[in-house]
Amino acid sequence: MMLRAEETPLLYEEEQHNLYAALEDLWYARAVLRRVGEEERRRFSESSWYYGDPSYYGGTILEIFDAQLATVLFTLFGEGFSGDLFYRYADGEEEVGDLVGELVALDDGPVVPEDSVYAPGDYEEILGLEVRASRRDIARLIELIRRSEGESPKTRLYRWRPGTDGAVSLGRDKDAVVMLVAGELFASQELVHGLLFEKLVRAWEVHNRG
Amino acid sequence: MENGRVAVEGGPGAERRLVVRFGELVERLAALPDPDEAEVRRLLPGADLMRALMEEADSFGAAAPGTSAATPLAEQILALTDEAFAAAREILEGSDAFERYGEPPDPTLSVLMFRLDGGMVRSAARAIRHAPPAEDPSIGEEFV
């Protein structure tokens, strides 16, 4: 340990960054737990809740989101679901189309993420969330997401194009649904919690609360 | 070593051993201005919340009243108060100002630093740093 001549900081910059992110993660967990029931809270307690941002320690915040996604899925839907976050860099809508060309929109529309904290075309970074489960459970989840949106604009949902790595890795009787969101990675808690995970929580609410 | 002086054994670049007169250290700590007790009480839940996040405590302490490490995780998180979150952010901002601009912590923040610094490593280092001039002046630049 080397101490600077001027003063010893209470917390170094990387610790501060990590703790700011951790507080947001905990705040979000509390908000979700307030919306679900006793059974979901019990499942949450059986899991772990990962928090923070290890970017300054050589890691990536996507590791945290992946771990959180596992907890969110188990909390909301129990066994049988798994998922991953993925990140892509793009520049403009055409490149987005090329970049995620392994995806097929369920409505056969263009592969352009519609949810964004920025105006269309401004984004350079895309976050994706993939949920895997049995074909029946994925069909049910898609239906719930659709119902949760009501009359509001529909989120474009995707499947892996047949023959791509994503499709091949699913195996028999398995399916996946993918959601995309555009925005800068530095705003990732806002994007992942506020937009992507929110779709899952809203789907649960529609199923359980109508 | 004179009373209250810090002695450093070993030259720069080599392994060093630092000796501090404990009585002098305690006197200096006792001479620090008193913190605002009400402010300390207000911010303490935030310090407890941060200690838990830093894995220096196994529960949220005053941040989640009525819970302990044995309470299911969901119930612990649900018990976290808005005031604890606000206090934690306030402490972090104080620390940030300290780190970025060198603004010295006020006595209240100093007390909370002790609370956060479970192993007392930072606090001890800080106290040593401000001890009377070292016999070896090279300590003025760094301490390894």
Side-chain angles (χ1 to χ4, degrees):
Chain A
M1 173 188 287
M2 185 167 77
L3 303 180
R4 296 186 317 195
E6 311 86 53
E7 188 52 89
T8 305
L10 167 60
L11 295 166
Y12 292 99
E13 187 180 358
E14 59 269 31
E15 293 175 301
Q16 290 172 0
H17 179 83
N18 191 43
L19 283 168
Y20 273 122
L23 284 174
E24 290 304 313
D25 288 327
L26 214 52
W27 181 270
Y28 174 73
R30 192 187 65 165
V32 171
L33 288 168
R34 284 175 169 176
R35 293 165 67 179
V36 299
E38 289 301 318
E39 181 63 18
E40 288 72 26
R41 291 174 184 176
R42 185 189 60 73
R43 285 200 292 261
F44 181 93
S45 296
E46 287 178 15
S47 309
S48 298
W49 183 246
Y50 287 81
Y51 54 79
D53 182 354
S55 302
Y56 283 42
Y57 299 100
T60 160
I61 197 168
L62 289 181
E63 299 166 21
I64 300 294
F65 291 141
D66 275 338
Q68 289 180 349
L69 177 60
T71 298
V72 167
L73 289 170
F74 181 64
T75 297
L76 297 175
F77 307 119
E79 302 280 1
F81 287 79
S82 62
D84 287 301
L85 273 295
F86 57 87
Y87 161 80
R88 302 291 174 89
Y89 182 85
D91 186 10
E93 293 190 10
E94 286 186 12
E95 287 193 31
V96 172
D98 293 340
L99 197 63
V100 291
E102 63 265 51
L103 293 171
V104 180
L106 297 191
D107 64 0
D108 294 326
V111 184
V112 176
E114 294 192 337
D115 282 324
S116 172
V117 293
Y118 300 97
D122 284 351
Y123 49 78
E124 293 184 335
E125 300 178 3
I126 294 173
L127 285 169
L129 183 153
E130 177 190 0
V131 177
R132 298 179 294 273
S134 68
R135 290 190 186 283
R136 183 179 163 192
D137 284 340
I138 288 297
R140 180 75 173 141
L141 178 61
I142 292 169
E143 179 201 340
L144 290 171
I145 290 172
R146 287 286 175 248
R147 278 173 53 197
S148 74
E149 292 172 325
E151 298 302 313
S152 56
K154 301 287 181 287
T155 304
R156 184 155 289 143
L157 301 173
Y158 306 88
R159 282 206 169 93
W160 294 109
R161 189 182 295 279
T164 58
D165 290 346
V168 170
S169 69
L170 287 170
R172 295 179 63 184
D173 303 323
K174 281 279 190 179
D175 202 355
V177 61
V178 173
M179 292 179 254
L180 300 179
V181 61
E184 303 287 346
L185 191 57
F186 70 80
S188 50
Q189 280 181 314
E190 181 185 354
L191 298 175
V192 173
H193 294 165
L195 290 171
L196 294 175
F197 286 5
E198 178 64 16
K199 300 289 181 192
L200 304 174
V201 179
R202 285 288 301 129
W204 179 89
E205 285 178 327
V206 164
H207 181 62
N208 290 275
R209 305 266 158 84
Chain B
M1 183 175 73
E2 296 174 25
N3 187 34
R5 288 293 182 90
V6 177
V8 179
E9 297 175 2
E15 185 176 337
R16 288 174 165 185
R17 182 161 165 259
L18 189 69
V19 181
V20 181
R21 280 289 176 103
F22 188 68
E24 172 76 3
L25 180 63
V26 170
E27 278 180 27
R28 290 178 60 79
L29 290 172
L32 289 171
D34 289 333
D36 182 328
E37 293 294 337
E39 275 292 278
V40 171
R41 277 197 302 276
R42 183 179 70 80
L43 294 173
L44 211 50
D48 280 359
L49 175 51
M50 286 171 62
R51 287 188 69 215
L53 292 174
M54 294 162 78
E55 299 182 349
E56 291 183 359
D58 61 1
S59 77
F60 291 113
T67 67
S68 69
T71 306
L73 179 60
E75 304 309 318
Q76 290 186 55
I77 291 176
L78 281 166
L80 289 169
T81 64
D82 289 350
E83 290 76 16
F85 278 104
R89 291 189 179 107
E90 202 172 319
I91 295 167
L92 264 179
E93 284 161 12
S95 174
D96 195 29
F98 196 9
E99 166 76 356
R100 287 175 187 273
Y101 311 115
E103 293 176 11
D106 64 21
T108 302
L109 189 55
S110 293
V111 167
L112 294 165
M113 286 177 180
F114 276 92
R115 178 85 173 182
L116 282 172
D117 190 2
M120 302 295 282
V121 175
R122 293 188 183 91
S123 306
R126 185 178 300 111
I128 291 167
R129 182 71 198 84
H130 289 287
E135 292 178 6
D136 180 345
S138 66
I139 196 175
E141 295 303 318
E142 63 175 334
F143 163 60
V144 179

